[in-house]
Amino acid sequence: MTVTLKLFASLGVHLPPGAREHAVQVEIPQGTSIGELLDRFGVPPEQRHLVLRNGVFVSPAGRAEPLHAGDSVAVWPPVAGG
Amino acid sequence: MGWQRRILRVNLTEGTCNPEPLNMDWARQYLGQRGLATKYFVEEVDPTVDPLSPDNKLIFATGPLTGTAASTAGRYSVITKGALTGAIACSNSGGYFGAELKNAGWDMIVFEGRAPEPVYLLIEDEEARLLPAGDLWGRSVWETHERIQHDHQDPMLKIAAIGQAGENGVLFACIVNDLHRAAGRSGVGAVMGSKRLKAVAVRGTQGVSVADPRRFLQVTMEKKRILAENAVTGQGLPTYGTQVLMNVVNEIGALPTRNAREVQFEGAPRISGEAMREPRPTDGKPNLITNQACFGCTIACGRVSRIDKTHYVVRNKPQYWKASGGLEYENAWAMGADTGIDDLEAMTYANFICNEQGMDPISFGATLAAAMELYESGAIGKEETGGIDLRFGNAEALTTLVEQTARGEGFGRDLGLGSRRLCEKYGRPELSMTVKGQEFPAYDPRGIQGMGLTYATSNRGACHLRSYTVASEVLGIPEKTDPLVPDGKPALVKAFQDATAVVDSSGLCLFTTFAWSLDDIQPQIDAACEGDWSLENLLAVGERIWNLERQFNLRAGFTGADDRLPERLVSEPARQGPAKGLTNQLDKMLPEYYALRGWDENGVPTAETLQRLGL
Ligand code: SF4
């Protein structure tokens, strides 16, 4: 199934070639979790600070849940602004 | 110590400058800067005063930590009755000016009256005098800065000035210091212009002493380490600045877009902090040159940008080819997502003009967005706009109108009224995204519920910096709360409001609170200032300041009925993203907030509350 992976700020370096505007479509096996998806792209676990699935925050515990086709996962290291 | 215990009173009508001792009883109750200057202001000014009349006063105030060795301790605030809002105004700025004023031996300057002819104030330590500014009037902030330094042959002079916007009565004019740091909101620059005060130039060499130097040095070193080791203040803010939020807030569906008709902007990635660092296709160089720090700051979140020389807007204007203050998140949102514009270079140019001519880019961008909706809905046409095709997304309209607004020309005269007066003038008041007359900033309260209560209850009109619950609701600082539910938000907003009032009264930058709590700030204040500065006392100070500001507004004619949001936010559900189908639930939060504050159902502090706070 296909999901969208978006990696922002310093995590952008982990995006594969072909990514546009920080996003890339990726094929993953059924049952893949957010944690497994991020492992596959080498996103360091300690950098997975703000993790959103379809725009909604996913707590560290929830990152083991399986993704659904069409989901969008967006990740940032610790950031803030004002 | 911490305080210099001296204020300068400048009567512009009479042309006099007189020192006075600082009222230390008030300092013990209100700390400094925002709190203490508000106390002076409410004691001295009739709350019903016309903000642009000589009877309004304008206070430049430092905090007890301003100019000390604490990290970020270079802040000052400008306190007055806001030209845009008619409410208490307090606009905070960084750079170097505040620390210089404190080093010259002054805690505050109180300006009264109106000069018969344009003047500027020159302070060299204890010497203060008013000088004619006839040849500076009509000039930009940048020219004024250069001229004053040149005339006095002193490149070390720190200068805060108004540009053409403040002179022309643009109601959201700001005061710019150090070329691109601003006391930005509520029209404090218009008040300064109405007093015919062009600039304040300061040179200070006296130093700032603290009560317990050894303890102060030790504790400030220890706290600087926390800032350096924290991932946000040590890496995130210096690298990406506040602009890193563009994609975050867009993804969570709380980015007010096209005058808040929508909550997500398809162009967000192209105007984000990440985009500012990427090489441009045109010249292969990034928009962002480097980051920059204010006085004594170990975070350095400031942006320095350079516009692409080949871009249409500066192709024939080499004076804008040099590096200058770049886009912060709020500015990029207001002149980008809110206007539907995704041209980073045009936005950077508009940002330069806001700095050069002294205008608040949040209010300017949001007013332009309202004008665009007026145009698209047919309430105004090319006749009003002077032939400009004012549809959303038109970058040339932005770059033309930013100049016209500062100069008070063409349709810029209408924009200079701010969004509320503009929309009222053209019969569509509901299109103004304002609270108490001030344009709300870059967070849509349908997607971040706490920000709805924040805007509605902010004493200076809609503002994110009075209780930045985004930290908790979106970023998880100090702990994550759900942005889509109103539950628990009244207590969160109150806690943030009171703590922020303390930070704003200390001389420190609010951005430290991404890493520091009041537990980290309290020992720094305690080591610098004599007296009881326990955490408990500081929290009482914060709450006292909030209620003092509230009382001023009530006496100025505001009521609980003004604690409301633009109708759109409470009746038009978000059209996309996680908040799709939701409106802001202010009605649920406001009564609970009043109760927590010890206010009656009309939002008036009860006698018991006032007594408890010593008001
Ligand atoms: S954190 Fe940013 S705004 Fe605050 S003092 Fe430092 S550079 Fe200035």
Side-chain angles (χ1 to χ4, degrees):
Chain A
M1 63 182 190
T2 310
V3 297
T4 304
L5 175 66
K6 301 181 183 182
L7 298 175
F8 292 103
S10 56
L11 299 184
V13 296
H14 300 288
L15 282 166
R20 283 201 55 223
E21 296 184 341
H22 318 289
V24 69
Q25 305 258 318
V26 290
E27 279 298 317
I28 53 169
Q30 289 283 348
T32 304
S33 69
I34 291 178
E36 288 161 347
L37 173 69
L38 297 179
D39 286 345
R40 188 173 134 193
F41 287 91
V43 179
E46 71 282 2
Q47 292 287 306
R48 300 171 190 177
H49 181 73
L50 178 60
V51 177
L52 307 179
R53 180 173 146 200
N54 303 326
V56 178
F57 179 72
V58 184
S59 68
R63 295 171 199 172
E65 303 285 316
L67 285 161
H68 300 291
D71 275 353
S72 168
V73 175
V75 188
W76 286 262
V79 292
Chain B
M1 279 177 282
W3 307 275
Q4 300 286 32
R5 296 171 176 258
R6 216 156 60 119
I7 72 171
L8 178 64
R9 189 173 293 273
V10 178
N11 188 309
L12 293 161
T13 312
E14 308 289 331
T16 55
C17 300
N18 290 308
E20 278 176 22
L22 183 72
N23 185 324
M24 288 308 295
D25 284 338
W26 290 352
R28 276 183 284 276
Q29 288 175 293
Y30 296 94
L31 189 55
Q33 202 172 343
R34 171 174 162 191
L36 187 53
T38 304
K39 177 64 178 168
Y40 270 87
F41 190 80
V42 303
E43 291 291 335
E44 296 186 10
V45 179
D46 174 357
T48 62
V49 74
D50 171 354
L52 298 177
S53 83
D55 293 335
N56 193 8
K57 295 191 185 186
L58 181 76
I59 304 181
F60 284 44
T62 64
L65 294 185
T66 306
T68 68
S71 185
T72 79
R75 314 291 303 190
Y76 78 103
S77 293
V78 178
I79 290 84
T80 188
K81 182 170 172 175
L84 184 68
T85 56
I88 189 82
C90 172
S91 299
N92 183 308
S93 181
Y96 288 77
F97 175 85
E100 197 76 16
L101 176 61
K102 184 78 174 287
N103 268 289
W106 305 99
D107 294 305
M108 285 189 207
I109 315 169
V110 181
F111 291 101
E112 351 182 285
R114 171 185 288 158
E117 297 293 333
V119 290
Y120 71 99
L121 176 68
L122 177 71
I123 299 176
E124 290 164 306
D125 289 328
E126 61 280 353
E127 289 284 316
R129 55 204 164 113
L130 289 167
L131 296 169
D135 61 337
L136 297 173
W137 205 251
R139 296 191 183 275
S140 73
V141 170
W142 295 353
E143 286 172 317
T144 301
H145 184 104
E146 218 176 277
R147 285 246 174 165
I148 293 178
Q149 285 190 341
H150 178 264
D151 287 355
H152 296 280
Q153 288 293 299
D154 187 356
M156 301 294 278
L157 275 175
K158 300 288 182 281
I159 295 159
I162 54 167
Q164 289 182 322
E167 295 176 11
N168 291 330
V170 171
L171 290 177
F172 46 81
C174 64
I175 299 169
V176 177
N177 58 279
D178 303 287
L179 301 175
H180 44 239
R181 286 280 160 185
R185 303 226 66 195
S186 314
V188 296
V191 174
M192 186 156 157
S194 76
K195 299 195 169 305
R196 299 202 184 99
L197 175 64
K198 180 67 181 175
V200 181
V202 194
R203 187 73 183 100
T205 60
Q206 306 206 337
V208 178
S209 49
V210 292
D212 186 339
R214 189 179 301 179
R215 184 155 61 97
F216 186 70
L217 194 68
Q218 192 188 349
V219 71
T220 52
M221 292 275 282
E222 188 186 304
K223 300 307 175 189
K224 281 178 190 170
R225 234 184 347 261
I226 296 179
L227 295 179
E229 285 167 8
N230 181 280
V232 169
T233 48
Q235 293 152 31
L237 276 173
T239 311
Y240 291 96
T242 56
Q243 256 278 62
V244 78
L245 284 184
M246 186 64 73
N247 285 310
V248 175
V249 181
N250 191 46
E251 288 292 322
I252 67 160
L255 188 68
T257 299
R258 288 177 273 266
N259 202 34
R261 285 200 310 215
E262 293 131 273
V263 294
Q264 285 182 318
F265 180 45
E266 65 287 351
R270 296 190 286 283
I271 60 169
S272 65
E274 286 89 343
M276 285 171 72
R277 296 173 61 86
E278 284 160 13
R280 293 180 285 237
T282 41
D283 65 353
K285 295 180 186 144
N287 174 284
L288 183 76
I289 307 288
T290 183
N291 64 327
Q292 200 174 47
C294 302
F295 173 89
C297 176
T298 53
I299 301 174
C301 78
R303 305 289 91 185
V304 178
S305 285
R306 192 177 281 144
I307 304 174
D308 175 3
K309 286 182 202 170
T310 66
H311 191 273
Y312 77 85
V313 73
V314 295
R315 204 177 293 139
N316 300 316
K317 295 178 182 170
Q319 67 271 35
Y320 297 104
W321 291 356
K322 55 183 193 288
S324 191
L327 290 162
E328 304 289 341
Y329 170 59
E330 294 298 334
N331 316 4
W333 160 76
M335 299 188 289
D338 205 31
T339 56
I341 291 168
D342 65 356
D343 181 337
L344 200 54
E345 304 303 310
M347 290 158 53
T348 305
Y349 175 76
N351 200 56
F352 281 13
I353 300 295
C354 284
N355 286 334
E356 185 185 24
Q357 298 297 359
M359 283 196 297
D360 170 13
I362 300 180
S363 284
F364 167 70
T367 302
L368 181 62
M372 285 172 159
E373 191 164 358
L374 286 171
Y375 182 84
E376 290 202 352
S377 67
I380 57 173
K382 284 198 174 153
E383 218 161 277
E384 285 80 13
T385 66
I388 295 172
D389 182 20
L390 202 55
R391 64 199 149 72
F392 283 111
N394 182 353
E396 284 193 59
L398 168 73
T399 52
T400 303
L401 285 169
V402 73
E403 294 169 1
Q404 288 191 6
T405 304
R407 290 202 213 105
E409 291 170 357
F411 187 60
R413 261 196 310 278
D414 274 353
L415 291 179
L417 296 171
S419 139
R420 188 186 66 190
R421 291 171 178 86
L422 174 83
C423 293
E424 279 170 358
K425 176 171 176 179
Y426 291 108
R428 299 292 302 277
E430 75 283 5
L431 296 185
S432 169
M433 297 299 126
T434 50
V435 177
K436 300 184 178 75
Q438 180 156 282
E439 294 73 15
F440 73 71
Y443 309 91
D444 195 300
R446 290 168 289 199
I448 309 175
Q449 291 286 324
M451 290 310 279
L453 186 60
T454 289
Y455 296 164
T457 59
S458 161
N459 287 324
R460 68 166 182 174
C463 168
H464 58 299
L465 292 171
R466 284 296 174 271
S467 46
Y468 191 65
T469 61
V470 174
S472 165
E473 294 181 273
V474 180
L475 306 167
I477 302 169
E479 57 192 33
K480 185 80 176 77
T481 51
D482 185 345
L484 299 178
V485 303
D487 311 70
K489 299 302 160 62
L492 191 70
V493 167
K494 177 182 181 292
F496 271 67
Q497 285 173 339
D498 293 348
T500 301
V502 173
V503 179
D504 285 347
S505 301
S506 69
L508 301 178
C509 177
L510 189 60
F511 286 0
T512 57
T513 60
F514 292 125
W516 290 348
S517 67
L518 271 193
D519 288 329
D520 297 298
I521 292 172
Q522 178 270 332
Q524 301 186 68
I525 297 174
D526 193 53
C529 309
E530 66 263 43
D532 167 20
W533 296 106
S534 63
L535 198 57
E536 200 185 0
N537 189 33
L538 279 176
L539 283 170
V541 167
E543 191 176 3
R544 186 177 300 130
I545 294 167
W546 192 266
N547 280 273
L548 182 71
E549 293 172 338
R550 176 77 175 183
Q551 273 187 303
F552 178 86
N553 284 349
L554 292 171
R555 289 181 188 141
F558 289 93
T559 69
D562 296 297
D563 297 337
R564 52 162 197 85
L565 292 170
E567 189 57 27
R568 170 165 286 171
L569 302 179
V570 292
S571 66
E572 282 179 38
R575 296 183 192 176
Q576 60 273 96
K580 187 172 176 177
L582 293 183
T583 56
N584 185 270
Q585 298 182 54
L586 181 64
D587 282 355
K588 268 196 187 155
M589 296 184 280
L590 196 59
E592 188 185 337
Y593 170 85
Y594 283 175
L596 283 169
R597 278 253 168 249
W599 297 353
D600 68 17
E601 66 277 15
N602 299 314
V604 178
T606 62
E608 204 186 331
T609 300
L610 295 178
Q611 198 184 16
R612 175 171 60 79
L613 295 169
L615 285 165

